[in-house]
Amino acid sequence: EAQVTQNPRYLITVTGKKLTVTCSQNMNHEYMSWYRQDPGLGLRQIYYSMNVEVTDKGDVPEGYKVSRKEKRNFPLILESPSPNQTSLYFCASSYGGYNEQFFGPGTRLTVL
Amino acid sequence: QKEVEQDPGPLSVPEGAIVSLNCTYSNSAFQYFMWYRQYSRKGPELLMYTYSSGNKEDGRFTAQVDKSSKYISLFIRDSQPSDSATYLCAMSDEAAGNKLTFGGGTRVLVKP
């Protein structure tokens, strides 16, 4: 089944404790993105990657890191999480820039 | 002012009614317009995709784009309780690549 998977689905952590949210897709997509979704603000892009070893900032990159060492994986790293990073995070992938983006199921992160 | 404006709702309609959703935007460079549906606790999934102005129909769904007014619409005919979800508009332009700019989403509730 074609899909984007994210882990964990739910995470509660404390300020400053490094964490990684994994994202994997099995559709051989070149493009992958991370979004955060907050009430009233919709989905905002954090980082995106056009291919292996190619990443770039989205609209809200501060406090986040990403890497793209393999085509299928695109982990999101929070080196020192803060409470304002409490949000619902989505990973997405697509064949190309203007094609349909497939979204993962989301990761709900709470930073205390 | 947000780049893409969308009424958050909720929009409550009886089963069988027509649901009318819309978004306004400010960036005249947007050329790709999408509607995503998001069920509770799920990732968004693409419903409709249009390029430039005009109408597109797919089953019970019709998407309209009026670039002169910077206004897009989604109509759902013969609405069903299973259409209850949050609907997100999204748009992009040539320069933005795969970066989508989303509206905040409209929550729709179809009552049996």
Side-chain angles (χ1 to χ4, degrees), chain A residues 89-102:
Chain A
Y89 291 86
F90 289 101
C91 180
S93 71
S94 65
Y95 279 115
Y98 314 117
N99 293 316
E100 175 181 1
Q101 292 202 21
F102 292 83

Side-chain angles (χ1 to χ4, degrees), chain A residues 9-10 31-33 35 37 40-43 45 48-49 58-59 88 90 94 96-101 103-105, chain B residues 2 32 34 36 38 41-46 49 86 88 92-105:
Chain A
R9 294 289 313 279
Y10 302 91
Y31 285 78
M32 297 187 74
S33 297
Y35 294 87
Q37 186 174 35
L41 296 177
L43 284 152
Q45 192 180 55
Y48 66 95
S49 169
D59 293 322
L88 181 57
F90 289 101
S94 65
Y98 314 117
N99 293 316
E100 175 181 1
Q101 292 202 21
F103 283 81
Chain B
K2 292 180 188 176
Y32 303 90
M34 286 144 270
Y36 281 82
Q38 185 177 18
R41 303 183 191 280
K42 300 282 189 182
E45 55 179 342
L46 185 68
Y49 181 109
T86 296
L88 301 151
S92 182
D93 62 73
E94 295 278 354
N98 81 324
K99 177 182 177 297
L100 295 177
T101 301
F102 282 86

Side-chain angles (χ1 to χ4, degrees), chain A residues 9-76:
Chain A
R9 294 289 313 279
Y10 302 91
L11 179 59
I12 300 174
T13 189
V14 295
T15 298
K17 187 175 181 182
K18 181 179 178 179
L19 66 92
T20 300
V21 183
T22 64
C23 172
S24 183
Q25 50 92 6
N26 62 2
M27 295 169 279
N28 202 35
H29 287 165
E30 289 88 10
Y31 285 78
M32 297 187 74
S33 297
W34 275 103
Y35 294 87
R36 60 178 289 174
Q37 186 174 35
D38 302 290
L41 296 177
L43 284 152
R44 293 178 293 167
Q45 192 180 55
I46 302 170
Y47 268 95
Y48 66 95
S49 169
M50 291 188 284
N51 216 323
V52 175
E53 303 291 0
V54 181
T55 62
D56 209 345
K57 297 177 181 178
D59 293 322
V60 288
E62 293 77 20
Y64 304 95
K65 286 176 58 177
V66 293
S67 68
R68 186 92 181 273
K69 293 182 170 44
E70 303 167 282
K71 197 172 188 178
R72 63 183 293 131
N73 297 323
F74 191 43
L76 179 69

Side-chain angles (χ1 to χ4, degrees), chain B residues 21 33-35 47-66 71-77:
Chain B
L21 303 166
F33 303 93
M34 286 144 270
W35 286 94
L47 265 183
M48 300 287 284
Y49 181 109
T50 52
Y51 171 71
S52 195
S53 286
N55 295 356
K56 186 173 184 178
E57 191 172 317
D58 185 1
R60 296 185 296 113
F61 300 90
T62 299
Q64 292 183 349
V65 175
D66 182 350
Y71 187 91
I72 69 170
S73 302
L74 177 71
F75 300 96
I76 307 173
R77 291 183 299 279

